[in-house]
Amino acid sequence: MKNLTALFYPESIAVVGATENTLKWGSYILTNILDGGYRGKVHPVTVRGDTVYGRKAYRTLRDIEGAVDLVFITTPADTVMEVMRDCAAKHIANVVLITSGFSETGEKGEALEENVNAFAREHHIRVVGPNTMGIVNTASSLYATGSHVRPRKGGISIITQSGNVGNQIMEWAEQESIGIGKFVGSGNEGVLSCEDYLEYLADDEDTSVVLMYIEGVDNGRRFREIAEYTTRKKPVIALKAGRTAVGSKAAQSHTGAMAGSHKTYESVLKQSGVILAHTPTELLTISSAFDSMPLPKGKRVGVVTLGGGWGVITADECEERGLELPPLPRDVYERLDALLPPFWSRGNPVDLVGQPDIDLFFAATDAMVASDAFDAVILLGMAGSGKFVTRIFEARQRLGFAKEKEIDEFKKIFADRQSKFLDNIVDLMEKYRKPVYPVALISSPGDEIVHGKKGSAYSVILYSSPEEAVFCLDKQYEYSRYLRKRSVGYEEHCAGSDSKRPESAFRI
Amino acid sequence: MKNIVQGAIANGQKALSEYDSKRVIAMAGVPVSRNALARSRDEAVAFARDFGYPVVLKGCSDILTHKTEMGMVKLKLKNDDEVAAAYDEITGKGITLDGVLVQEWIEGDKREFVVGLTRDPQFGPCVMFGLGGIFTEALKDVSFRVAPLSTLDAEEMIDEIRTKKLLGEFRGSPAVDRDGLVKALVAIGNLGVEYDEIAEIDINPLIIDGSRPVAVDALVILRRETAADEKSA
């Protein structure tokens, strides 16, 4: 295994090709590192000028006093070999090769890249790229991609074979306040491959979920082994691009004709316990669910809804995905019956028949989450209901029947109530180790989506629709089931696979 | 089993005949229909009597493809005369055959599955399972797993197809013997792992006879490059 710690946690960095020319990669990377709050040493390297962005600049890497842990190279492809030789001379072991114009451009670039790769391997230099977007490690405030995106610190680490796809996911994460750990754009994978990054992240304590965008891997068997190893430790969510590409292999059999590389990839991923996503947005949605909540131990879902329709939609979504809505156990039934009007649903989903009563929200949530009858609970329309009422007050104000001050007071009361309601959900998830998925009655752009509570490892995600909540629950259950099946007698399962074959039915 | 595969490669064959394909998968642990290779009309009749009527006759050779379209398959033959006539018709087409395959007729209950092996350039041998019969390629209701398969892998790939309901009790037929199916899938995966010489396998259909899955047709395709290497060596 390649140790990538110094790559992600460098104490000193040099940027070769550093420049103040705004629209050059040597500027993107350097400004991003400096502006992102990285606390180690940063050395610009350039043949032009004595300073770059106020920092002392060096003509070459060799001129820098003291050790350099990590070098970003942004100079043109034909200059890279020389910079690599400087790296070797200075015993620099980690390079992020931003430069493009290598194997992705044809034969000449391929030859150039092979020289760089061979040199790097010979001198034990770990190279990210070439043709990469860069890397991020929020734990060391290292934002070193071409894009100045600043997601908050968190546990989701991204390995992407497309810089743009990965970057867009980080943008969404920033907007939705979803925490990101590390990011690596693997580029052409000349030296380090996505298998290497996955292997490193499997044991990285700052990473709780691995998110992957894959177009193809070079060593299928190794990838499978590492993926299987990683999923025993933490969830891996992957999108394999190229669903519609037809397998290029000329197959002779019907089996071969139906296989195709995409189908095989998806099978390998499933077999290794990797959870599949079909779009980049799904990648982030699923990853954040895994990052925020405990895993459901089974498929029994309890649903509480503020109104009937959402309950039916949620029940349908669960049923279609093979999740179950068991009936209410007696103790929960009696507890709710004492609190609700006589015309309540008396079953699961529990319909609160529109009662806007915060105490009831708490009581129903507590009763359902505490019950052993359920492995996960979906709460529909209680979160976000304050906003519903606020809008009525806003209308009253426009009609001249309410004062602005009054509305501000209400807003504060509702915000406070919502915060307490969500804090309580965090506490319940801690106490009962089961996931709770609240769906907001109303959510608007800018609203809180991930609600954390100080001192808790879990946080609440406010889902915008029942189908999104069920979708995430289903993915979490899929992973939980994979783990459970494998931890119970998995070794025996494997061992038994090629022994005891059934008696032959063939006779001559 | 090694002898069959290597013998065929030494002969320069690109595939095994149906007879040899079935022998190989049967030895690996996949139940196949009873069949025997007849080299004379009398032998064909004797085999048919031994199996009991009705029977199926098929022209057998490693180079035969599209057997049905070429009139090389005669289904549900009910007596000695029909077998004798079918034997003459198949052997009278002027095509060199290893012999004529006499096979017990398995009525089944219309539930037909497909099991296959293919090789992925990245991941190696992969096992396929899915809905078989004539609609296989139209509906593409199939799942894949990379070999070797654990029994869990096999169970999960069985549960992955959309038509998995067919595996339970279905229109008066008992549930399919799942363990048998799991063992068959694991066995085909192991064949792929153990025999580099085997490129691809098609078992279609795998008919459900009562609850028991039985392969009634099989094709083992050999690696072309391996065959060529052997020839030149």
Side-chain angles (χ1 to χ4, degrees):
Chain A
M1 178 176 151
K2 298 179 180 75
N3 187 351
L4 305 183
T5 307
L7 173 70
F8 285 107
Y9 299 83
E11 286 175 13
S12 54
I13 292 173
V15 178
V16 178
T19 170
E20 289 179 18
N21 183 339
T22 318
L23 297 180
K24 288 211 169 235
W25 275 85
S27 171
Y28 302 163
I29 296 286
L30 185 57
T31 51
N32 205 0
I33 294 171
L34 294 175
D35 182 54
Y38 172 70
R39 286 178 297 274
K41 290 183 190 134
V42 183
H43 308 291
V45 175
T46 175
V47 287
R48 298 182 194 87
D50 300 329
T51 62
V52 182
Y53 290 116
R55 306 273 166 147
K56 182 185 173 189
Y58 297 85
R59 309 280 295 176
T60 71
L61 286 168
R62 296 174 202 244
D63 299 328
I64 299 171
E65 301 130 39
V68 174
D69 288 337
L70 171 63
V71 171
F72 289 83
I73 302 176
T74 67
T75 51
D78 55 10
T79 68
V80 169
M81 264 314 284
E82 197 187 326
V83 182
M84 291 296 289
R85 278 191 281 272
D86 287 350
C87 288
K90 209 166 155 55
H91 304 292
I92 294 166
N94 300 287
V95 166
V96 176
L97 185 47
I98 300 284
T99 309
S100 55
F102 287 100
S103 61
E104 77 278 9
T105 59
E107 260 177 49
K108 201 175 150 228
E110 206 166 304
L112 208 55
E113 181 173 323
E114 200 29 65
N115 283 342
V116 172
N117 297 345
F119 183 87
R121 281 193 209 100
E122 190 188 326
H123 292 86
H124 306 287
I125 300 173
R126 291 174 283 266
V127 179
V128 179
N131 188 27
T132 168
M133 178 68 101
I135 63 168
V136 167
N137 180 14
T138 59
S140 52
S141 297
L142 175 64
Y143 295 89
T145 65
S147 164
H148 287 221
V149 53
R150 297 272 188 281
R152 71 172 180 82
K153 284 185 181 119
I156 300 171
S157 288
I158 300 169
I159 301 167
T160 178
Q161 291 187 327
S162 155
N164 291 328
V165 171
N167 181 58
Q168 193 176 30
I169 290 170
M170 279 203 293
E171 286 280 357
W172 294 329
E174 182 184 336
Q175 284 158 26
E176 298 180 12
S177 195
I178 293 168
I180 298 296
K182 294 176 176 66
F183 168 98
V184 56
S186 65
N188 296 359
E189 302 190 8
V191 177
L192 292 175
S193 64
C194 69
E195 297 98 285
D196 295 318
Y197 302 122
L198 185 60
E199 191 175 30
Y200 171 74
L201 293 177
D203 292 312
D204 173 36
E205 285 180 8
D206 290 335
T207 297
S208 57
V209 178
V210 181
L211 182 163
M212 295 187 89
Y213 169 82
I214 308 167
E215 287 175 356
V217 297
D218 287 332
N219 187 338
R221 279 157 201 269
R222 182 164 172 252
F223 175 80
R224 186 186 163 193
E225 274 168 28
I226 293 171
E228 213 160 290
Y229 169 79
T230 310
T231 58
R232 300 284 171 94
K233 302 191 157 212
K234 54 188 72 169
V236 178
I237 323 300
L239 165 57
K240 166 69 178 74
R243 271 202 293 282
T244 55
V246 180
S248 55
K249 185 173 73 103
Q252 282 177 283
S253 70
H254 297 274
T255 301
M258 283 191 291
S261 85
H262 188 75
K263 193 96 185 170
T264 312
Y265 265 101
E266 288 203 332
S267 304
V268 167
L269 293 169
K270 280 186 211 160
Q271 209 168 344
S272 317
V274 173
I275 302 300
L276 295 175
H278 278 86
T279 61
T281 47
E282 277 186 14
L283 266 178
L284 187 62
T285 306
I286 300 168
S287 297
S288 67
F290 276 101
D291 188 39
S292 304
M293 292 182 278
L295 290 176
K297 289 179 188 71
K299 58 179 171 181
R300 302 165 309 158
V301 187
V303 179
V304 185
T305 178
L306 199 57
W310 266 10
V312 180
I313 296 277
T314 306
D316 283 348
E317 285 283 334
C318 286
E319 170 74 26
E320 279 170 5
R321 293 174 191 277
L323 302 167
E324 290 167 6
L325 267 71
L328 291 180
R330 178 145 212 97
D331 58 324
V332 178
Y333 177 91
E334 283 170 0
R335 219 172 133 184
L336 293 171
D337 196 40
L339 297 168
L340 285 161
F343 54 91
W344 75 289
S345 66
R346 296 175 187 274
N348 180 23
V350 173
D351 185 356
L352 300 180
V353 287
Q355 304 289 306
D357 176 354
I358 185 75
D359 294 332
L360 182 61
F361 293 178
F362 273 88
T365 303
D366 288 358
M368 293 294 277
V369 180
S371 173
D372 288 337
F374 307 114
D375 303 304
V377 174
I378 297 176
L379 303 171
L380 304 166
M382 288 174 270
S385 58
K387 197 151 197 169
F388 181 87
V389 182
T390 308
R391 291 207 159 175
I392 299 170
F393 275 97
E394 282 168 349
R396 281 164 56 99
Q397 188 203 2
R398 285 192 293 274
L399 296 170
F401 287 84
K403 296 191 181 78
E404 196 172 329
K405 198 179 153 218
E406 205 178 4
I407 291 172
D408 287 345
E409 271 170 28
F410 270 112
K411 276 187 181 163
K412 202 177 160 301
I413 290 167
F414 286 129
D416 193 43
R417 276 187 185 178
Q418 169 121 334
S419 185
K420 279 190 185 137
F421 181 69
L422 299 178
D423 280 352
N424 183 51
I425 293 175
V426 174
D427 291 343
L428 289 172
M429 289 200 291
E430 289 261 352
K431 188 171 174 192
Y432 297 102
R433 301 278 158 181
K434 61 176 81 166
V436 180
Y437 308 79
V439 177
L441 183 65
I442 296 178
S443 57
S444 319
D447 283 0
E448 180 183 57
I449 293 173
V450 183
H451 179 88
K453 187 182 174 222
K454 264 221 163 97
S456 175
Y458 298 126
S459 45
V460 185
I461 297 173
L462 285 141
Y463 287 97
S464 59
S465 68
E467 59 269 29
E468 197 182 33
V470 177
F471 173 73
C472 287
L473 164 56
D474 182 49
K475 294 290 185 184
Q476 285 192 278
Y477 173 62
E478 186 186 330
Y479 180 59
S480 158
R481 188 182 51 196
Y482 177 89
L483 289 182
R484 194 187 62 235
K485 277 193 182 171
R486 264 97 186 145
S487 63
V488 183
Y490 179 64
E491 298 309 318
E492 291 95 286
H493 269 296
C494 289
S497 64
D498 58 354
S499 56
K500 287 189 95 181
R501 287 185 184 152
E503 211 176 292
S504 172
F506 186 80
R507 291 183 215 173
I508 296 175
Chain B
M1 179 155 24
K2 222 181 175 88
N3 294 341
I4 299 172
V5 173
Q6 287 178 349
I9 286 169
N11 281 341
Q13 287 177 217
K14 288 175 179 146
L16 298 182
S17 67
E18 178 179 345
Y19 179 67
D20 283 341
S21 294
K22 279 168 147 176
R23 282 213 288 171
V24 165
I25 66 164
M27 281 184 237
V30 179
V32 304
S33 54
R34 294 175 72 188
N35 52 181
L37 196 60
R39 291 187 174 84
S40 71
R41 188 190 304 126
D42 290 348
E43 215 179 3
V45 171
F47 286 137
R49 283 183 179 174
D50 182 34
F51 294 158
Y53 287 104
V55 294
V56 177
L57 258 60
K58 297 177 184 172
C60 186
S61 152
D62 61 285
I63 51 167
L64 261 191
T65 51
H66 307 291
K67 283 183 293 237
T68 308
E69 291 84 341
M70 289 172 72
M72 286 284 183
V73 179
K74 302 291 169 192
L75 298 172
K76 224 173 172 176
L77 306 168
K78 290 187 283 295
N79 52 47
D80 293 2
D81 289 345
E82 285 185 19
V83 168
Y87 184 91
D88 289 344
E89 194 185 330
I90 289 170
T91 50
K93 289 186 188 291
I95 294 167
T96 313
L97 298 172
D98 297 350
V100 174
L101 201 61
V102 182
Q103 186 187 303
E104 65 173 328
W105 169 257
I106 293 177
E107 181 66 40
D109 56 15
K110 302 250 166 28
R111 289 186 288 184
E112 297 187 351
F113 296 95
V114 58
V115 171
L117 179 84
T118 176
R119 282 185 190 273
D120 183 83
Q122 281 290 332
F123 299 103
C126 299
V127 178
M128 181 183 82
F129 171 73
L131 185 69
I134 55 171
F135 299 126
T136 303
E137 283 189 63
L139 296 176
K140 284 193 178 157
D141 186 15
V142 290
S143 58
F144 289 85
R145 287 295 183 274
V146 175
L149 267 63
S150 68
T151 52
L152 262 179
D153 291 331
E155 277 169 19
E156 282 171 356
M157 75 186 291
I158 290 169
D159 284 333
E160 204 175 293
I161 64 165
R162 296 190 300 276
T163 42
K164 68 175 172 189
K165 271 198 173 164
L166 292 177
L167 294 156
E169 286 181 28
F170 187 75
R171 296 174 71 97
S173 296
V176 175
D177 169 15
R178 245 182 110 91
D179 287 350
L181 200 52
V182 164
K183 281 176 182 153
L185 293 169
V186 169
I188 290 300
N190 288 341
L191 264 185
V193 173
E194 285 162 31
Y195 288 89
D196 266 349
E197 302 93 325
I198 295 177
E200 296 168 48
I201 300 174
D202 268 336
I203 302 172
N204 191 11
L206 184 83
I207 285 182
I208 305 304
D209 183 26
S211 65
R212 196 180 72 123
V214 185
V216 300
D217 196 357
L219 172 64
V220 172
I221 293 167
L222 302 168
R223 280 208 173 184
R224 270 178 291 185
E225 61 267 43
T226 315
D229 289 348
E230 290 285 329
K231 259 188 178 173
S232 62

